[in-house]
Amino acid sequence: MAGLRIAVCIKQVPDFFSVKEVKIDPETKTLVREGVPSIVNPLDRHAIEEAIRLKEAHGGEVTVVTMGPPQAKEALLEALAMGCDKAVLLSDRRFAGADTLATAVVLAEAIRKLGGFDVILCGKQTLDGETAHVGPELAELLDLPQITYVKKLEVKEGKVVAERLLEEGYEVVEAPLPVLVTVV
């Protein structure tokens, strides 16, 4: 294999670890993000680390993609500093308040336009929503096999072999490339 083309979908989320109280807007029923610092979602950081590990083992390049307001550029700069090769920010006021399906639709369009990825990595879920929907929805929209809750990932001979975390242990599964994987 000449090298892997890897995409990593990340999200900048409120740093709940640095605040004493999370506030909800009584009208919109959404998180009040003003005054709360932002970080790269912790499980998305694991996805970045996994992508870089795969790149080091197999060659290739890592493109990190995020959908968010202009300040999400900070998350992309962090990913580039970690070792990603390219970064894409999808930003439009119309994306504000997007649910998981709308987010997956936007990410899917971007990934189609960027084209030709062997592996797409996502964190299992985000701190602010905790739905674990975006990765599987994205896989469905891109018509890709998916492996979720992955704790260990290997690429060999045109496929991935993954250890999926279960409540009581793990299971080993494999899927052909291209594939979408959510990591724990």
Side-chain angles (χ1 to χ4, degrees):
M1 185 176 289
L4 294 172
R5 287 201 66 226
I6 305 164
V8 184
C9 298
I10 68 170
K11 184 177 183 186
Q12 190 179 52
V13 296
D15 183 0
F16 296 123
F17 305 112
S18 69
V19 295
K20 292 182 178 168
E21 181 183 10
V22 175
K23 296 177 184 170
I24 304 292
D25 183 303
E27 287 184 28
T28 64
K29 307 289 189 244
T30 59
L31 292 169
V32 175
R33 295 174 187 257
E34 291 77 31
V36 179
S38 296
I39 59 172
V40 174
N41 183 63
L43 289 171
D44 296 345
R45 283 185 62 86
H46 293 316
I48 293 168
E49 292 164 356
E50 186 63 25
I52 293 164
R53 188 189 68 73
L54 289 173
K55 179 179 89 167
E56 289 170 354
H58 301 280
E61 69 178 16
V62 177
T63 301
V64 62
V65 181
T66 193
M67 180 178 119
Q71 64 263 27
K73 177 181 176 185
E74 296 169 19
L76 294 174
L77 291 173
E78 184 176 339
L80 290 169
M82 290 174 70
C84 294
D85 302 295
K86 297 178 182 177
V88 177
L89 172 60
L90 308 168
S91 188
D92 190 304
R93 286 181 182 258
R94 294 175 290 182
F95 298 161
D99 65 11
T100 61
L101 182 56
T103 299
V105 167
V106 171
L107 290 171
E109 273 308 305
I111 288 170
R112 278 190 200 97
K113 286 185 181 189
L114 294 167
F117 291 103
D118 300 299
V119 179
I120 300 169
L121 294 166
C122 302
K124 175 189 75 154
Q125 65 190 39
T126 59
L127 284 178
D128 59 347
E130 293 192 337
T131 64
H133 291 173
V134 173
E137 288 171 340
L138 184 55
E140 184 67 22
L141 290 165
L142 294 172
D143 195 28
L144 292 176
Q146 62 181 300
I147 306 175
T148 56
Y149 299 88
V150 172
K151 71 174 197 159
K152 184 178 178 185
L153 184 66
E154 296 297 327
V155 175
K156 47 181 144 184
E157 302 169 9
K159 65 182 176 185
V160 293
V161 178
E163 287 185 13
R164 292 186 70 234
L165 191 61
L166 305 174
E167 284 187 29
E168 295 184 24
Y170 67 92
E171 68 180 350
V172 177
V173 296
E174 61 182 58
L177 300 177
V179 64
L180 185 137
V181 175
T182 68
V183 300
V184 293

